[in-house]
PDB file of all heavy atoms in Angstrom:
ATOM      1  N   GLN A  97      64.057  78.305  91.477  1.00  0.00           N
ATOM      2  CA  GLN A  97      63.622  79.503  92.175  1.00  0.00           C
ATOM      3  C   GLN A  97      62.979  80.451  91.164  1.00  0.00           C
ATOM      4  O   GLN A  97      63.210  80.336  89.957  1.00  0.00           O
ATOM      5  CB  GLN A  97      64.798  80.179  92.883  1.00  0.00           C
ATOM      6  CG  GLN A  97      65.993  80.476  92.003  1.00  0.00           C
ATOM      7  CD  GLN A  97      67.244  80.776  92.818  1.00  0.00           C
ATOM      8  OE1 GLN A  97      68.195  80.010  92.802  1.00  0.00           O
ATOM      9  NE2 GLN A  97      67.268  81.899  93.520  1.00  0.00           N
ATOM     10  N   PRO A  98      62.177  81.390  91.664  1.00  0.00           N
ATOM     11  CA  PRO A  98      61.448  82.286  90.758  1.00  0.00           C
ATOM     12  C   PRO A  98      62.378  83.204  89.982  1.00  0.00           C
ATOM     13  O   PRO A  98      63.553  83.374  90.319  1.00  0.00           O
ATOM     14  CB  PRO A  98      60.538  83.072  91.726  1.00  0.00           C
ATOM     15  CG  PRO A  98      60.469  82.270  92.957  1.00  0.00           C
ATOM     16  CD  PRO A  98      61.784  81.556  93.054  1.00  0.00           C
ATOM     17  N   ALA A  99      61.812  83.847  88.971  1.00  0.00           N
ATOM     18  CA  ALA A  99      62.567  84.811  88.173  1.00  0.00           C
ATOM     19  C   ALA A  99      63.098  85.910  89.064  1.00  0.00           C
ATOM     20  O   ALA A  99      62.395  86.464  89.912  1.00  0.00           O
ATOM     21  CB  ALA A  99      61.653  85.409  87.098  1.00  0.00           C
ATOM     22  N   THR A 100      64.374  86.269  88.826  1.00  0.00           N
ATOM     23  CA  THR A 100      64.993  87.313  89.621  1.00  0.00           C
ATOM     24  C   THR A 100      66.386  87.604  89.068  1.00  0.00           C
ATOM     25  O   THR A 100      66.863  86.939  88.149  1.00  0.00           O
ATOM     26  CB  THR A 100      65.101  86.894  91.105  1.00  0.00           C
ATOM     27  OG1 THR A 100      65.444  88.039  91.901  1.00  0.00           O
ATOM     28  CG2 THR A 100      66.134  85.792  91.305  1.00  0.00           C
ATOM     29  N   LEU A 101      67.012  88.641  89.632  1.00  0.00           N
ATOM     30  CA  LEU A 101      68.406  88.946  89.321  1.00  0.00           C
ATOM     31  C   LEU A 101      69.286  88.435  90.456  1.00  0.00           C
ATOM     32  O   LEU A 101      69.203  88.924  91.583  1.00  0.00           O
ATOM     33  CB  LEU A 101      68.605  90.456  89.147  1.00  0.00           C
ATOM     34  CG  LEU A 101      70.079  90.909  89.022  1.00  0.00           C
ATOM     35  CD1 LEU A 101      70.721  90.364  87.766  1.00  0.00           C
ATOM     36  CD2 LEU A 101      70.168  92.437  89.058  1.00  0.00           C
ATOM     37  N   LEU A 102      70.133  87.443  90.150  1.00  0.00           N
ATOM     38  CA  LEU A 102      71.199  87.027  91.058  1.00  0.00           C
ATOM     39  C   LEU A 102      72.500  87.634  90.514  1.00  0.00           C
ATOM     40  O   LEU A 102      72.513  88.335  89.514  1.00  0.00           O
ATOM     41  CB  LEU A 102      71.300  85.500  91.088  1.00  0.00           C
ATOM     42  CG  LEU A 102      69.993  84.719  91.328  1.00  0.00           C
ATOM     43  CD1 LEU A 102      70.284  83.216  91.307  1.00  0.00           C
ATOM     44  CD2 LEU A 102      69.341  85.122  92.623  1.00  0.00           C
ATOM     45  N   TRP A 103      73.589  87.332  91.183  1.00  0.00           N
ATOM     46  CA  TRP A 103      74.896  87.707  90.609  1.00  0.00           C
ATOM     47  C   TRP A 103      75.941  86.723  91.106  1.00  0.00           C
ATOM     48  O   TRP A 103      75.783  86.106  92.136  1.00  0.00           O
ATOM     49  CB  TRP A 103      75.271  89.163  90.907  1.00  0.00           C
ATOM     50  CG  TRP A 103      75.389  89.573  92.339  1.00  0.00           C
ATOM     51  CD1 TRP A 103      74.497  89.430  93.353  1.00  0.00           C
ATOM     52  CD2 TRP A 103      76.491  90.306  92.938  1.00  0.00           C
ATOM     53  NE1 TRP A 103      74.944  89.986  94.525  1.00  0.00           N
ATOM     54  CE2 TRP A 103      76.174  90.541  94.298  1.00  0.00           C
ATOM     55  CE3 TRP A 103      77.689  90.785  92.465  1.00  0.00           C
ATOM     56  CZ2 TRP A 103      77.019  91.221  95.185  1.00  0.00           C
ATOM     57  CZ3 TRP A 103      78.538  91.479  93.319  1.00  0.00           C
ATOM     58  CH2 TRP A 103      78.190  91.677  94.650  1.00  0.00           C
ATOM     59  N   TYR A 104      76.974  86.558  90.283  1.00  0.00           N
ATOM     60  CA  TYR A 104      78.055  85.700  90.696  1.00  0.00           C
ATOM     61  C   TYR A 104      79.316  86.547  90.897  1.00  0.00           C
ATOM     62  O   TYR A 104      79.597  87.460  90.149  1.00  0.00           O
ATOM     63  CB  TYR A 104      78.295  84.539  89.719  1.00  0.00           C
ATOM     64  CG  TYR A 104      78.586  84.853  88.292  1.00  0.00           C
ATOM     65  CD1 TYR A 104      79.918  84.871  87.812  1.00  0.00           C
ATOM     66  CD2 TYR A 104      77.574  85.098  87.359  1.00  0.00           C
ATOM     67  CE1 TYR A 104      80.198  85.125  86.496  1.00  0.00           C
ATOM     68  CE2 TYR A 104      77.868  85.361  86.025  1.00  0.00           C
ATOM     69  CZ  TYR A 104      79.173  85.378  85.580  1.00  0.00           C
ATOM     70  OH  TYR A 104      79.484  85.626  84.281  1.00  0.00           O
ATOM     71  N   HIS A 105      80.041  86.207  91.949  1.00  0.00           N
ATOM     72  CA  HIS A 105      81.257  86.966  92.287  1.00  0.00           C
ATOM     73  C   HIS A 105      82.198  86.051  93.028  1.00  0.00           C
ATOM     74  O   HIS A 105      81.826  84.997  93.541  1.00  0.00           O
ATOM     75  CB  HIS A 105      80.912  88.199  93.114  1.00  0.00           C
ATOM     76  CG  HIS A 105      80.303  87.920  94.458  1.00  0.00           C
ATOM     77  ND1 HIS A 105      81.022  87.503  95.547  1.00  0.00           N
ATOM     78  CD2 HIS A 105      79.009  88.002  94.878  1.00  0.00           C
ATOM     79  CE1 HIS A 105      80.218  87.350  96.583  1.00  0.00           C
ATOM     80  NE2 HIS A 105      78.990  87.626  96.212  1.00  0.00           N
ATOM     81  N   ASP A 106      83.442  86.475  93.112  1.00  0.00           N
ATOM     82  CA  ASP A 106      84.421  85.647  93.799  1.00  0.00           C
ATOM     83  C   ASP A 106      84.220  85.723  95.303  1.00  0.00           C
ATOM     84  O   ASP A 106      83.817  86.742  95.854  1.00  0.00           O
ATOM     85  CB  ASP A 106      85.841  86.092  93.423  1.00  0.00           C
ATOM     86  CG  ASP A 106      86.844  85.054  93.876  1.00  0.00           C
ATOM     87  OD1 ASP A 106      86.892  83.968  93.248  1.00  0.00           O
ATOM     88  OD2 ASP A 106      87.574  85.297  94.872  1.00  0.00           O
ATOM     89  N   HIS A 107      84.563  84.587  95.955  1.00  0.00           N
ATOM     90  CA  HIS A 107      84.319  84.455  97.389  1.00  0.00           C
ATOM     91  C   HIS A 107      85.491  83.760  98.081  1.00  0.00           C
ATOM     92  O   HIS A 107      85.335  83.096  99.112  1.00  0.00           O
ATOM     93  CB  HIS A 107      83.035  83.650  97.624  1.00  0.00           C
ATOM     94  CG  HIS A 107      82.268  84.018  98.849  1.00  0.00           C
ATOM     95  ND1 HIS A 107      82.840  84.162 100.088  1.00  0.00           N
ATOM     96  CD2 HIS A 107      80.938  84.269  99.033  1.00  0.00           C
ATOM     97  CE1 HIS A 107      81.899  84.475 100.986  1.00  0.00           C
ATOM     98  NE2 HIS A 107      80.750  84.556 100.369  1.00  0.00           N
ATOM     99  N   ALA A 108      86.709  83.850  97.505  1.00  0.00           N
ATOM    100  CA  ALA A 108      87.848  83.102  98.015  1.00  0.00           C
ATOM    101  C   ALA A 108      88.281  83.603  99.383  1.00  0.00           C
ATOM    102  O   ALA A 108      88.253  84.803  99.678  1.00  0.00           O
ATOM    103  CB  ALA A 108      89.016  83.184  97.034  1.00  0.00           C
ATOM    104  N   MET A 109      88.716  82.657 100.197  1.00  0.00           N
ATOM    105  CA  MET A 109      89.193  82.961 101.544  1.00  0.00           C
ATOM    106  C   MET A 109      90.251  84.069 101.523  1.00  0.00           C
ATOM    107  O   MET A 109      91.265  83.967 100.833  1.00  0.00           O
ATOM    108  CB  MET A 109      89.793  81.682 102.152  1.00  0.00           C
ATOM    109  CG  MET A 109      90.508  81.878 103.468  1.00  0.00           C
ATOM    110  SD  MET A 109      89.350  82.208 104.829  1.00  0.00           S
ATOM    111  CE  MET A 109      88.621  80.593 105.013  1.00  0.00           C
ATOM    112  N   GLY A 110      89.992  85.118 102.271  1.00  0.00           N
ATOM    113  CA  GLY A 110      90.961  86.204 102.409  1.00  0.00           C
ATOM    114  C   GLY A 110      91.164  87.060 101.182  1.00  0.00           C
ATOM    115  O   GLY A 110      92.039  87.938 101.175  1.00  0.00           O
ATOM    116  N   ALA A 111      90.368  86.816 100.112  1.00  0.00           N
ATOM    117  CA  ALA A 111      90.534  87.593  98.896  1.00  0.00           C
ATOM    118  C   ALA A 111      89.240  88.191  98.390  1.00  0.00           C
ATOM    119  O   ALA A 111      89.210  88.788  97.326  1.00  0.00           O
ATOM    120  CB  ALA A 111      91.156  86.713  97.797  1.00  0.00           C
ATOM    121  N   THR A 112      88.154  88.059  99.162  1.00  0.00           N
ATOM    122  CA  THR A 112      86.846  88.552  98.704  1.00  0.00           C
ATOM    123  C   THR A 112      86.848  90.081  98.639  1.00  0.00           C
ATOM    124  O   THR A 112      86.100  90.671  97.848  1.00  0.00           O
ATOM    125  CB  THR A 112      85.724  88.054  99.618  1.00  0.00           C
ATOM    126  OG1 THR A 112      85.788  86.623  99.682  1.00  0.00           O
ATOM    127  CG2 THR A 112      84.366  88.473  99.125  1.00  0.00           C
ATOM    128  N   ARG A 113      87.667  90.744  99.448  1.00  0.00           N
ATOM    129  CA  ARG A 113      87.713  92.200  99.365  1.00  0.00           C
ATOM    130  C   ARG A 113      88.556  92.674  98.185  1.00  0.00           C
ATOM    131  O   ARG A 113      88.501  93.833  97.793  1.00  0.00           O
ATOM    132  CB  ARG A 113      88.238  92.815 100.672  1.00  0.00           C
ATOM    133  CG  ARG A 113      89.688  92.541 100.995  1.00  0.00           C
ATOM    134  CD  ARG A 113      89.981  92.922 102.441  1.00  0.00           C
ATOM    135  NE  ARG A 113      91.395  92.845 102.806  1.00  0.00           N
ATOM    136  CZ  ARG A 113      92.054  91.723 103.106  1.00  0.00           C
ATOM    137  NH1 ARG A 113      91.434  90.562 103.021  1.00  0.00           N
ATOM    138  NH2 ARG A 113      93.329  91.754 103.458  1.00  0.00           N
ATOM    139  N   PHE A 114      89.353  91.779  97.599  1.00  0.00           N
ATOM    140  CA  PHE A 114      90.211  92.147  96.464  1.00  0.00           C
ATOM    141  C   PHE A 114      89.648  91.710  95.124  1.00  0.00           C
ATOM    142  O   PHE A 114      89.578  92.504  94.175  1.00  0.00           O
ATOM    143  CB  PHE A 114      91.591  91.512  96.651  1.00  0.00           C
ATOM    144  CG  PHE A 114      92.345  91.959  97.868  1.00  0.00           C
ATOM    145  CD1 PHE A 114      93.101  91.047  98.582  1.00  0.00           C
ATOM    146  CD2 PHE A 114      92.323  93.267  98.272  1.00  0.00           C
ATOM    147  CE1 PHE A 114      93.819  91.458  99.700  1.00  0.00           C
ATOM    148  CE2 PHE A 114      93.014  93.699  99.394  1.00  0.00           C
ATOM    149  CZ  PHE A 114      93.787  92.774 100.112  1.00  0.00           C
ATOM    150  N   ASN A 115      89.251  90.443  95.007  1.00  0.00           N
ATOM    151  CA  ASN A 115      88.926  89.890  93.688  1.00  0.00           C
ATOM    152  C   ASN A 115      87.706  90.548  93.011  1.00  0.00           C
ATOM    153  O   ASN A 115      87.760  90.890  91.846  1.00  0.00           O
ATOM    154  CB  ASN A 115      88.767  88.377  93.773  1.00  0.00           C
ATOM    155  CG  ASN A 115      90.073  87.672  94.082  1.00  0.00           C
ATOM    156  OD1 ASN A 115      91.117  88.332  94.220  1.00  0.00           O
ATOM    157  ND2 ASN A 115      90.054  86.357  94.208  1.00  0.00           N
ATOM    158  N   PRO A 116      86.592  90.738  93.744  1.00  0.00           N
ATOM    159  CA  PRO A 116      85.473  91.479  93.090  1.00  0.00           C
ATOM    160  C   PRO A 116      85.835  92.924  92.791  1.00  0.00           C
ATOM    161  O   PRO A 116      85.377  93.484  91.788  1.00  0.00           O
ATOM    162  CB  PRO A 116      84.345  91.371  94.119  1.00  0.00           C
ATOM    163  CG  PRO A 116      84.650  90.123  94.896  1.00  0.00           C
ATOM    164  CD  PRO A 116      86.136  90.129  94.995  1.00  0.00           C
ATOM    165  N   TYR A 117      86.669  93.537  93.650  1.00  0.00           N
ATOM    166  CA  TYR A 117      87.096  94.926  93.382  1.00  0.00           C
ATOM    167  C   TYR A 117      87.872  94.992  92.069  1.00  0.00           C
ATOM    168  O   TYR A 117      87.762  95.961  91.299  1.00  0.00           O
ATOM    169  CB  TYR A 117      87.976  95.403  94.534  1.00  0.00           C
ATOM    170  CG  TYR A 117      88.410  96.861  94.424  1.00  0.00           C
ATOM    171  CD1 TYR A 117      87.489  97.888  94.598  1.00  0.00           C
ATOM    172  CD2 TYR A 117      89.726  97.199  94.175  1.00  0.00           C
ATOM    173  CE1 TYR A 117      87.879  99.205  94.529  1.00  0.00           C
ATOM    174  CE2 TYR A 117      90.136  98.529  94.109  1.00  0.00           C
ATOM    175  CZ  TYR A 117      89.207  99.538  94.274  1.00  0.00           C
ATOM    176  OH  TYR A 117      89.585 100.850  94.196  1.00  0.00           O
ATOM    177  N   LEU A 118      88.633  93.937  91.781  1.00  0.00           N
ATOM    178  CA  LEU A 118      89.384  93.854  90.525  1.00  0.00           C
ATOM    179  C   LEU A 118      88.501  93.524  89.340  1.00  0.00           C
ATOM    180  O   LEU A 118      88.936  93.638  88.190  1.00  0.00           O
ATOM    181  CB  LEU A 118      90.517  92.824  90.637  1.00  0.00           C
ATOM    182  CG  LEU A 118      91.681  93.241  91.524  1.00  0.00           C
ATOM    183  CD1 LEU A 118      92.635  92.034  91.733  1.00  0.00           C
ATOM    184  CD2 LEU A 118      92.458  94.404  90.936  1.00  0.00           C
ATOM    185  N   GLY A 119      87.267  93.037  89.592  1.00  0.00           N
ATOM    186  CA  GLY A 119      86.348  92.809  88.479  1.00  0.00           C
ATOM    187  C   GLY A 119      85.668  91.474  88.430  1.00  0.00           C
ATOM    188  O   GLY A 119      84.887  91.203  87.496  1.00  0.00           O
ATOM    189  N   LEU A 120      85.921  90.569  89.382  1.00  0.00           N
ATOM    190  CA  LEU A 120      85.300  89.237  89.344  1.00  0.00           C
ATOM    191  C   LEU A 120      83.888  89.317  89.920  1.00  0.00           C
ATOM    192  O   LEU A 120      83.617  88.894  91.044  1.00  0.00           O
ATOM    193  CB  LEU A 120      86.169  88.222  90.096  1.00  0.00           C
ATOM    194  CG  LEU A 120      87.449  87.823  89.360  1.00  0.00           C
ATOM    195  CD1 LEU A 120      88.299  86.903  90.245  1.00  0.00           C
ATOM    196  CD2 LEU A 120      87.144  87.140  88.034  1.00  0.00           C
ATOM    197  N   ALA A 121      82.984  89.848  89.103  1.00  0.00           N
ATOM    198  CA  ALA A 121      81.565  89.930  89.450  1.00  0.00           C
ATOM    199  C   ALA A 121      80.764  90.078  88.169  1.00  0.00           C
ATOM    200  O   ALA A 121      81.250  90.710  87.208  1.00  0.00           O
ATOM    201  CB  ALA A 121      81.314  91.132  90.376  1.00  0.00           C
ATOM    202  N   ALA A 122      79.556  89.497  88.134  1.00  0.00           N
ATOM    203  CA  ALA A 122      78.725  89.582  86.927  1.00  0.00           C
ATOM    204  C   ALA A 122      77.302  89.193  87.295  1.00  0.00           C
ATOM    205  O   ALA A 122      77.036  88.595  88.349  1.00  0.00           O
ATOM    206  CB  ALA A 122      79.274  88.663  85.826  1.00  0.00           C
ATOM    207  N   ALA A 123      76.377  89.476  86.395  1.00  0.00           N
ATOM    208  CA  ALA A 123      74.954  89.257  86.641  1.00  0.00           C
ATOM    209  C   ALA A 123      74.505  87.869  86.177  1.00  0.00           C
ATOM    210  O   ALA A 123      75.100  87.275  85.263  1.00  0.00           O
ATOM    211  CB  ALA A 123      74.123  90.333  85.948  1.00  0.00           C
ATOM    212  N   TYR A 124      73.419  87.390  86.814  1.00  0.00           N
ATOM    213  CA  TYR A 124      72.824  86.091  86.504  1.00  0.00           C
ATOM    214  C   TYR A 124      71.315  86.278  86.585  1.00  0.00           C
ATOM    215  O   TYR A 124      70.771  86.456  87.671  1.00  0.00           O
ATOM    216  CB  TYR A 124      73.321  85.070  87.524  1.00  0.00           C
ATOM    217  CG  TYR A 124      72.958  83.626  87.266  1.00  0.00           C
ATOM    218  CD1 TYR A 124      73.937  82.688  86.906  1.00  0.00           C
ATOM    219  CD2 TYR A 124      71.677  83.137  87.470  1.00  0.00           C
ATOM    220  CE1 TYR A 124      73.636  81.335  86.722  1.00  0.00           C
ATOM    221  CE2 TYR A 124      71.355  81.802  87.282  1.00  0.00           C
ATOM    222  CZ  TYR A 124      72.335  80.906  86.916  1.00  0.00           C
ATOM    223  OH  TYR A 124      72.044  79.565  86.740  1.00  0.00           O
ATOM    224  N   LEU A 125      70.648  86.256  85.460  1.00  0.00           N
ATOM    225  CA  LEU A 125      69.204  86.522  85.376  1.00  0.00           C
ATOM    226  C   LEU A 125      68.447  85.209  85.226  1.00  0.00           C
ATOM    227  O   LEU A 125      68.801  84.362  84.405  1.00  0.00           O
ATOM    228  CB  LEU A 125      68.886  87.417  84.205  1.00  0.00           C
ATOM    229  CG  LEU A 125      68.860  88.929  84.403  1.00  0.00           C
ATOM    230  CD1 LEU A 125      68.763  89.632  83.068  1.00  0.00           C
ATOM    231  CD2 LEU A 125      67.694  89.333  85.295  1.00  0.00           C
ATOM    232  N   ILE A 126      67.377  85.062  86.003  1.00  0.00           N
ATOM    233  CA  ILE A 126      66.466  83.930  85.843  1.00  0.00           C
ATOM    234  C   ILE A 126      65.102  84.460  85.419  1.00  0.00           C
ATOM    235  O   ILE A 126      64.601  85.439  85.979  1.00  0.00           O
ATOM    236  CB  ILE A 126      66.310  83.138  87.172  1.00  0.00           C
ATOM    237  CG1 ILE A 126      67.675  82.624  87.645  1.00  0.00           C
ATOM    238  CG2 ILE A 126      65.350  81.964  86.982  1.00  0.00           C
ATOM    239  CD1 ILE A 126      67.607  81.902  88.981  1.00  0.00           C
ATOM    240  N   PHE A 127      64.514  83.822  84.396  1.00  0.00           N
ATOM    241  CA  PHE A 127      63.149  84.118  83.988  1.00  0.00           C
ATOM    242  C   PHE A 127      62.277  82.883  84.192  1.00  0.00           C
ATOM    243  O   PHE A 127      62.790  81.759  84.333  1.00  0.00           O
ATOM    244  CB  PHE A 127      63.106  84.557  82.534  1.00  0.00           C
ATOM    245  CG  PHE A 127      63.793  85.882  82.295  1.00  0.00           C
ATOM    246  CD1 PHE A 127      64.918  85.960  81.471  1.00  0.00           C
ATOM    247  CD2 PHE A 127      63.319  87.028  82.881  1.00  0.00           C
ATOM    248  CE1 PHE A 127      65.563  87.179  81.236  1.00  0.00           C
ATOM    249  CE2 PHE A 127      63.952  88.258  82.654  1.00  0.00           C
ATOM    250  CZ  PHE A 127      65.064  88.320  81.835  1.00  0.00           C
ATOM    251  N   ASP A 128      60.965  83.080  84.216  1.00  0.00           N
ATOM    252  CA  ASP A 128      60.040  81.956  84.385  1.00  0.00           C
ATOM    253  C   ASP A 128      58.727  82.281  83.671  1.00  0.00           C
ATOM    254  O   ASP A 128      58.646  83.256  82.915  1.00  0.00           O
ATOM    255  CB  ASP A 128      59.820  81.619  85.862  1.00  0.00           C
ATOM    256  CG  ASP A 128      59.236  82.771  86.678  1.00  0.00           C
ATOM    257  OD1 ASP A 128      58.746  83.751  86.047  1.00  0.00           O
ATOM    258  OD2 ASP A 128      59.250  82.699  87.921  1.00  0.00           O
ATOM    259  N   LYS A 129      57.701  81.480  83.921  1.00  0.00           N
ATOM    260  CA  LYS A 129      56.414  81.703  83.242  1.00  0.00           C
ATOM    261  C   LYS A 129      55.681  82.922  83.738  1.00  0.00           C
ATOM    262  O   LYS A 129      54.818  83.467  83.035  1.00  0.00           O
ATOM    263  CB  LYS A 129      55.538  80.440  83.404  1.00  0.00           C
ATOM    264  CG  LYS A 129      56.092  79.215  82.673  1.00  0.00           C
ATOM    265  CD  LYS A 129      55.190  78.010  82.885  1.00  0.00           C
ATOM    266  CE  LYS A 129      55.747  76.797  82.148  1.00  0.00           C
ATOM    267  NZ  LYS A 129      54.907  75.583  82.356  1.00  0.00           N
ATOM    268  N   VAL A 130      55.996  83.377  84.946  1.00  0.00           N
ATOM    269  CA  VAL A 130      55.373  84.593  85.472  1.00  0.00           C
ATOM    270  C   VAL A 130      56.068  85.822  84.921  1.00  0.00           C
ATOM    271  O   VAL A 130      55.423  86.743  84.398  1.00  0.00           O
ATOM    272  CB  VAL A 130      55.402  84.586  87.005  1.00  0.00           C
ATOM    273  CG1 VAL A 130      54.858  85.916  87.567  1.00  0.00           C
ATOM    274  CG2 VAL A 130      54.589  83.420  87.568  1.00  0.00           C
ATOM    275  N   ASP A 131      57.388  85.861  85.055  1.00  0.00           N
ATOM    276  CA  ASP A 131      58.185  86.961  84.516  1.00  0.00           C
ATOM    277  C   ASP A 131      59.047  86.390  83.394  1.00  0.00           C
ATOM    278  O   ASP A 131      60.093  85.797  83.623  1.00  0.00           O
ATOM    279  CB  ASP A 131      59.050  87.550  85.619  1.00  0.00           C
ATOM    280  CG  ASP A 131      59.908  88.717  85.143  1.00  0.00           C
ATOM    281  OD1 ASP A 131      59.832  89.078  83.951  1.00  0.00           O
ATOM    282  OD2 ASP A 131      60.668  89.270  85.965  1.00  0.00           O
ATOM    283  N   THR A 132      58.601  86.592  82.171  1.00  0.00           N
ATOM    284  CA  THR A 132      59.285  86.020  81.020  1.00  0.00           C
ATOM    285  C   THR A 132      60.432  86.884  80.491  1.00  0.00           C
ATOM    286  O   THR A 132      61.165  86.489  79.610  1.00  0.00           O
ATOM    287  CB  THR A 132      58.292  85.805  79.858  1.00  0.00           C
ATOM    288  OG1 THR A 132      57.807  87.094  79.421  1.00  0.00           O
ATOM    289  CG2 THR A 132      57.128  84.929  80.296  1.00  0.00           C
ATOM    290  N   GLY A 133      60.540  88.064  81.058  1.00  0.00           N
ATOM    291  CA  GLY A 133      61.502  89.046  80.551  1.00  0.00           C
ATOM    292  C   GLY A 133      60.880  90.042  79.610  1.00  0.00           C
ATOM    293  O   GLY A 133      61.388  91.152  79.430  1.00  0.00           O
ATOM    294  N   THR A 134      59.745  89.671  79.004  1.00  0.00           N
ATOM    295  CA  THR A 134      58.999  90.607  78.161  1.00  0.00           C
ATOM    296  C   THR A 134      57.649  90.946  78.758  1.00  0.00           C
ATOM    297  O   THR A 134      57.049  91.963  78.408  1.00  0.00           O
ATOM    298  CB  THR A 134      58.790  90.016  76.750  1.00  0.00           C
ATOM    299  OG1 THR A 134      58.068  88.788  76.861  1.00  0.00           O
ATOM    300  CG2 THR A 134      60.126  89.762  76.072  1.00  0.00           C
TER     301      THR A 134
END
């Protein structure tokens, strides 16, 4: 997929409202030939 900002976070059954609130979330950056980051 093209360059963009995704993110990863917890998605467990019945705990999605708790686990990311506690901190289980972070960024995932993709770069490509169009958007190299620079």
Side-chain angles (χ1 to χ4, degrees):
Q97 54 196 112
T100 193
L101 172 65
L102 310 179
W103 60 308
Y104 58 98
H105 63 78
D106 193 71
H107 211 312
M109 172 71 72
T112 305
R113 68 193 187 281
F114 298 141
N115 293 359
Y117 184 70
L118 288 171
L120 287 175
Y124 187 111
L125 269 170
I126 301 177
F127 294 116
D128 60 14
K129 293 179 180 179
V130 175
D131 181 0
T132 65
T134 59

